[in-house]
Amino acid sequence: MNQLNTTGIILSRTDFGEADRILTLLTPEYGKLRLVAKGVRRVKSKLAGGIELFSISHITFIRGRGDMGTLVSTRLVKHYAGIVKDLQRTMLGYDLIKQLNKVTEDAPESDYFDLLQQTFEALDDVSISLPLVQFWFATQLLRLAGHTPNLQTDTAGQKLDPTKTYTFDFDSMAFTPHDRGQFTADRIKFLRLSFAGNSAKVLAQVQGSQTLVEACTPLVSTMRATYLRV
């Protein structure tokens, strides 16, 4: 049987039998893989050290006849230890992994692997607030799924005016001028930075980012619930 090599991130782990574990991994080359790690729950298992949660690992595997393959070997590339030292960061990490697992198909593009790696880096950095990580992650899921809002022109096709305020129209996924609109130029600019694919660290460096996240989160949360159903 041909052995294949790739880099993987654990999405889920399920105990199986007396000592085995079924893993779902996200990889850049093969999308999602379901692999059985035989004997991994035994104390002296050589596989255990390379399949930690919140880690990047090099794996060798064999494809199965169905949708289940076999994990042959593992080597830990990087473990984001800062995440598991903080309960809130750990719990948010679990939640974001579940969201990504739910919205991706069996063969998601490699950008989703990059997103999850960047998410670990953001969660591992205590200088980046959890609300910002959560907000940024939602914008990236929407972007990769093709649900980026129109952040350049309004519902009438006119270029957004930095001197005006706007409301958001979900039917057209665009802004509408309104005298008492809650979306000002700085909030729209922040949304542009977010949906452009910048890292969470870049957003955290924006002056007033905490206030901007609070102002823009309701819009992004509604979009996520509407289009991604997570």
Side-chain angles (χ1 to χ4, degrees), residues 1-184:
M1 296 183 181
N2 292 330
Q3 295 185 357
L4 301 172
N5 300 297
T6 188
T7 304
I9 297 174
I10 301 292
L11 296 179
S12 67
R13 304 186 298 184
T14 304
D15 290 345
F16 181 72
E18 293 184 1
D20 301 343
R21 185 170 279 157
I22 295 174
L23 311 173
T24 300
L25 300 101
L26 183 66
T27 71
E29 297 95 347
Y30 303 103
K32 286 183 183 178
L33 295 174
R34 292 185 75 238
L35 304 175
V36 57
K38 295 183 177 180
V40 72
R41 288 154 56 204
R42 295 194 177 100
V43 175
K44 296 183 179 181
S45 171
K46 295 181 179 180
L47 296 176
I51 53 172
E52 294 292 328
L53 294 175
F54 306 118
S55 299
I56 311 295
S57 300
H58 179 80
I59 66 168
T60 300
F61 70 99
I62 299 172
R63 287 194 183 276
R65 293 182 178 179
D67 66 346
M68 181 84 68
T70 301
L71 185 66
V72 176
S73 66
T74 64
R75 177 173 58 84
L76 189 66
V77 176
K78 182 169 185 178
H79 177 59
Y80 294 90
I83 299 176
V84 296
K85 291 178 181 178
D86 184 284
L87 179 59
Q88 289 184 315
R89 289 182 178 270
T90 301
M91 296 308 295
L92 179 57
Y94 284 139
D95 182 56
L96 299 184
I97 289 172
K98 289 179 181 178
Q99 287 184 38
L100 188 143
N101 194 16
K102 185 175 181 179
V103 303
T104 52
E105 301 295 334
D106 289 338
E109 57 192 88
S110 60
D111 286 346
Y112 284 99
F113 179 90
D114 296 337
L115 170 58
L116 198 49
Q117 184 172 4
Q118 291 172 19
T119 300
F120 290 168
E121 291 172 356
L123 288 171
D124 199 53
D125 187 342
V126 295
S127 70
I128 304 176
S129 72
L130 294 184
L132 189 145
V133 175
Q134 193 167 17
F135 168 83
W136 167 82
F137 183 83
T139 64
Q140 301 315 296
L141 279 188
L142 287 163
R143 178 178 65 85
L144 292 177
H147 298 296
T148 298
N150 181 354
L151 300 170
Q152 304 300 326
T153 59
D154 63 22
T155 50
Q158 298 297 311
K159 185 177 180 180
L160 297 179
D161 187 339
T163 66
K164 294 182 179 180
T165 58
Y166 294 85
T167 57
F168 190 78
D169 180 68
F170 284 94
D171 290 334
S172 60
M173 286 284 282
F175 290 99
T176 300
H178 194 287
D179 290 341
R180 295 189 299 276
Q182 69 270 40
F183 290 100
T184 52

Side-chain angles (χ1 to χ4, degrees), residues 195-210:
F195 278 97
N198 290 293
S199 69
K201 191 173 187 65
V202 169
L203 296 188
Q205 294 171 348
V206 174
Q207 185 174 3
S209 61
Q210 182 174 342

